[in-house]
Amino acid sequence: EKKALLREHWNELGEGEGMRAFSSGQRPTQPPLALVAPLVALAYLAAPAQAQAAGVPSPFTVKSAGDFVGWPRGPGNGQLQGNDHFHIVNSGPCAINEARLHKYASSLSASPNIMAVGGDHGKAVAECISGACDSMPRITFDWDLPMDGDPGLVSPGGHAAGRNASNLTEAIERSWPRCERGSWKPVVPSTVHVSVYQNTVAFAAAGCLELQGMDLEEEEWTYVTSLPKSLDLKTPAGAKRRGGALKPELFGSRVALGNGVAVATGAVDAPGYPPVVVVFSLLGASWEQVDVLECPPGGGPDGCACAEGRGGCFGAAVAVYGNRVAVGNPGNGTVVLYEQDGGVPLTWSPVHAFRSTFDTLTSSMFGASLSLGETLLLVGAPSSGAGARAVIYSVARGSRGFGSALYETADHCCKLGLPCCISGLVGSATALAEYADEAAAVVGDPRSAQVHVIRCNTSAVRDGAGEEGAACQPSVTVQGPASPGLSPAAVGPDGFGGSLAYGGQMILMGHAARHCSVVGPMQACGTVCEVPLCAPGYCLLYEISLDQEFCQQCTDKARCKGGMKTCSAGDAGALSAMALSTALFFLLFCCLYCLSAFSRASGPISLLCELLCCLPLGGSTGRERLLSEDGG
């Protein structure tokens, strides 16, 4: 746009004064060279200053209530103007699907260093998203990668171990799962579910769970293990578990990875047996199956009954944090929180059951998505119509508010006049980022193409703030790209915000159906968009050379609350950095000008005059006047 304006301005000059000056033989007036450096410095200072207006999440567009004309409104008045604590912004850049996955972002997980993205047809990819590993190649997972002639394809029991493999880049050796699956071999590839903890990623698909680790020093991926090692479920001694043998074709439909713990949803090969959640633990240097979490009896009209292939059963969503595991059972509207018992053998026992107590016009899938932290549990409850929501619960140990609901999206969405007031897919995906005193809960709403961020005061939660709305408040709503060619009612859970993760101080928002309607069933489609969400002690700083924002550590961490607040002039040492860069620019300018003058064999006095006295006087420039024969 600037180039177009300059070109237009030059054309105007060509028809007027500028062209007449050239046609008459007069030299056009030279710009004052001594002013070039200050002007460039001022432009450099002005650009960050404009992007760093305090409180505005630049460069995203902040919307007001007037932008929501025509949107469905609930009973609230939709007043957004004048609210300094709530913003609506457009989504940031979206990733290119370089791995060529179909329905890229069907599943999504991240850590500070790694983003893992699952696709359809048994493929997934993991890659570095931080400067600590920017030279690491990505790793791609393929359920049926041929490994001809490799003895590792046959399990110790003599059965074919299948074709699951990690299709690594040329810089890394190939790896493949060596899990026990009996005589069963995958026929139809499915969605790959992913989970990331720190520098380890889990791929779950086609009856196997594969773990890969990122070695930052060697800058390569390292094969860790493949699970299960046996189809026979181990039951801890003294624990009331029925056990049995796993159905390999139903193992790995959901996965969650934690600190030395991995859980995966499976099914027992017995008629009428509900799904189970298999717990693996890192014992020394080896991953072993240590427990089986079974559906508690009762708890609703359907209890634990679940027909094979039916969604919404026990284990439809799983989450891990520390020694706790949360398991969702949308079929009876419950989420069970388990905690590891002390001692050996390692066992997990239920400590609390969260139940849906909300009246909805349609059936609610309470527990279809889960995110677990030290203080908070975020439960998604999408539905086929109005009444979908997400609920934040307190799980702070020793708090008098343990188990209480702190926030639910439907009430606030209606008060703000947002589509999530009556949207049917709110809570299809969730993500959670907890810090010492604050947390950010992220909720997807694919039908409205929105993602909602709720900020919670975890200190208040630990102190027992059980009243709804006292500790958690809506902070940001991210508006994503709509699904092309589809009405909002036709958008499914694979729309924008259908998968979520938080990693690298960014909210990662999956849109698995993006452009899938215009490509073939095996062609690449889907994307992952991002917006920065800074941790406490960081603020958003605009990088003019990259034309993007990043989270910069603040000089005074107490002043920076994180989130999407931009840095003020002194928060990130911006003033001192700009002053230093301006001084270096002046020094470079002077050095280059001196070299140019010396190349013309100018003396010291002439050099000083050229550098400081280049303003035009009369019809000649300062240099022409000072260095003319008459002027000496």
Side-chain angles (χ1 to χ4, degrees):
E1 289 175 351
K2 291 180 179 179
K3 290 180 179 179
L5 290 173
L6 288 173
R7 193 176 294 112
E8 181 181 354
H9 181 60
W10 173 250
N11 291 334
E12 292 176 356
L13 286 177
E15 298 174 359
E17 297 296 331
M19 187 57 69
R20 283 197 296 270
F22 278 104
S23 62
S24 63
Q26 296 179 3
R27 294 185 58 182
T29 303
Q30 288 186 353
L33 295 180
L35 296 180
V36 172
L39 287 175
V40 173
L42 287 174
Y44 178 78
L45 290 169
Q50 184 178 4
Q52 295 168 3
V56 178
S58 172
F60 313 114
T61 305
V62 180
K63 297 179 180 292
S64 64
D67 295 309
F68 295 96
V69 175
W71 281 18
R73 292 193 181 276
N77 56 15
Q79 291 183 354
L80 302 178
Q81 294 173 334
N83 189 338
D84 295 333
H85 305 288
F86 179 76
H87 299 287
I88 299 180
V89 303
N90 290 329
S91 67
C94 298
I96 299 175
N97 184 358
E98 295 180 353
R100 312 297 297 169
L101 270 61
H102 183 73
K103 287 208 168 183
Y104 180 79
S106 294
S107 63
L108 190 60
S109 184
S111 71
N113 289 333
I114 300 176
M115 177 182 72
V117 185
D120 208 349
H121 299 294
K123 298 180 184 294
V125 63
E127 58 187 277
C128 168
I129 56 173
S130 77
C133 52
D134 54 3
S135 59
M136 284 282 298
R138 66 172 181 264
I139 175 174
T140 59
F141 174 89
D142 193 331
W143 74 285
D144 197 22
L145 182 70
M147 305 288 287
D148 297 333
D150 202 316
L153 289 177
V154 179
S155 66
H159 302 294
R163 295 288 192 177
N164 269 20
S166 281
N167 178 18
L168 306 184
T169 63
E170 295 180 358
I172 322 168
E173 294 182 0
R174 292 183 173 185
S175 176
W176 60 94
R178 298 173 178 85
C179 58
E180 172 63 45
R181 295 190 295 192
S183 59
W184 177 79
K185 179 180 178 180
V187 178
V188 179
S190 59
T191 297
V192 179
H193 294 275
V194 295
S195 183
V196 177
Y197 177 76
Q198 292 184 353
N199 292 332
T200 304
V201 59
F203 299 108
C208 278
L209 170 61
E210 182 189 42
L211 301 183
Q212 292 279 350
M214 176 188 286
D215 190 333
L216 295 178
E217 293 185 359
E218 299 295 331
E219 296 184 346
E220 64 181 13
W221 292 90
T222 304
Y223 170 77
V224 179
T225 190
S226 297
L227 304 167
K229 297 178 180 179
S230 171
L231 294 177
D232 295 326
L233 291 172
K234 299 178 182 178
T235 57
K240 296 181 180 180
R241 310 281 195 272
R242 286 183 286 180
L246 281 173
K247 282 185 177 181
E249 63 269 28
L250 298 180
F251 176 78
S253 59
R254 293 293 184 274
V255 63
L257 188 62
N259 186 11
V261 178
V263 298
T265 302
V268 174
D269 193 2
Y273 203 112
V276 297
V277 174
V278 186
V279 183
F280 303 91
S281 185
L282 182 60
L283 304 178
S286 176
W287 284 85
E288 303 293 341
Q289 188 251 312
V290 294
D291 201 356
V292 183
L293 306 183
E294 300 173 339
C295 179
D302 295 329
C304 295
C306 184
E308 185 172 321
R310 169 190 156 195
C313 303
F314 180 78
V318 291
V320 175
Y321 186 87
N323 63 348
R324 287 175 166 180
V325 176
V327 181
N329 186 359
N332 61 14
T334 61
V335 174
V336 183
L337 182 65
Y338 295 84
E339 191 167 313
Q340 182 183 339
D341 303 320
V344 179
L346 298 179
T347 57
W348 277 256
S349 299
V351 294
H352 193 84
F354 300 86
R355 305 184 186 278
S356 175
T357 59
F358 305 99
D359 295 328
T360 60
L361 300 177
T362 57
S363 59
S364 172
M365 297 285 287
F366 182 86
S369 63
L370 295 173
S371 295
L372 179 63
E374 181 180 4
T375 309
L376 304 176
L377 170 66
L378 177 57
V379 180
S383 69
S384 57
R389 67 195 70 216
V391 190
I392 302 175
Y393 293 95
S394 168
V395 291
R397 289 181 174 89
S399 170
R400 63 178 181 271
F402 179 89
S404 60
L406 303 172
Y407 176 92
E408 64 95 6
T409 57
D411 180 58
H412 285 87
C413 287
C414 293
K415 288 181 179 178
L416 293 170
L418 296 175
C420 51
C421 173
I422 59 174
S423 177
L425 295 179
V426 181
S428 295
T430 59
L432 184 65
E434 277 198 18
Y435 306 103
D437 299 315
E438 292 188 14
V442 187
V443 179
D445 179 9
R447 186 153 292 170
S448 304
Q450 291 185 339
V451 170
H452 309 286
V453 182
I454 302 99
R455 303 285 292 189
C456 295
N457 186 333
T458 52
S459 296
V461 175
R462 288 190 292 267
D463 291 340
E467 182 181 354
E468 187 174 329
C472 300
Q473 292 292 332
S475 173
V476 174
T477 288
V478 182
Q479 180 66 55
S483 299
L486 293 177
S487 64
V491 176
D494 53 2
F496 177 83
S499 58
L500 294 171
Y502 180 77
Q505 300 203 55
M506 295 182 294
I507 301 175
L508 305 171
M509 303 161 290
H511 190 172
R514 183 74 170 169
H515 300 308
C516 289
S517 61
V518 296
V519 301
M522 297 294 290
Q523 292 180 312
C525 62
T527 188
V528 175
C529 303
E530 64 184 50
V531 291
L533 186 73
C534 300
Y538 289 77
C539 60
L540 280 180
L541 192 64
Y542 179 59
E543 174 56 55
I544 190 172
S545 61
L546 301 177
D547 191 24
Q548 67 180 22
E549 288 183 316
F550 65 95
C551 293
Q552 172 70 31
Q553 187 171 359
C554 298
T555 307
D556 183 5
K557 293 185 178 181
R559 292 181 53 186
C560 297
K561 301 300 182 182
M564 293 186 180
K565 298 294 185 181
T566 52
C567 300
S568 61
D571 284 339
L575 286 180
S576 57
M578 287 187 290
L580 178 60
S581 61
T582 303
L584 291 175
F585 179 84
F586 270 108
L587 180 60
L588 177 62
F589 175 80
C590 293
C591 291
L592 292 176
Y593 209 100
C594 290
L595 289 174
S596 175
F598 276 122
S599 66
R600 296 191 300 270
S602 299
I605 298 179
S606 300
L607 175 62
L608 182 62
C609 291
E610 284 198 43
L611 191 60
L612 301 178
C613 304
C614 41
L615 290 175
L617 295 176
S620 304
T621 64
R623 181 177 182 275
E624 290 172 339
R625 179 177 57 84
L626 290 169
L627 300 182
S628 64
E629 295 180 0
D630 295 338

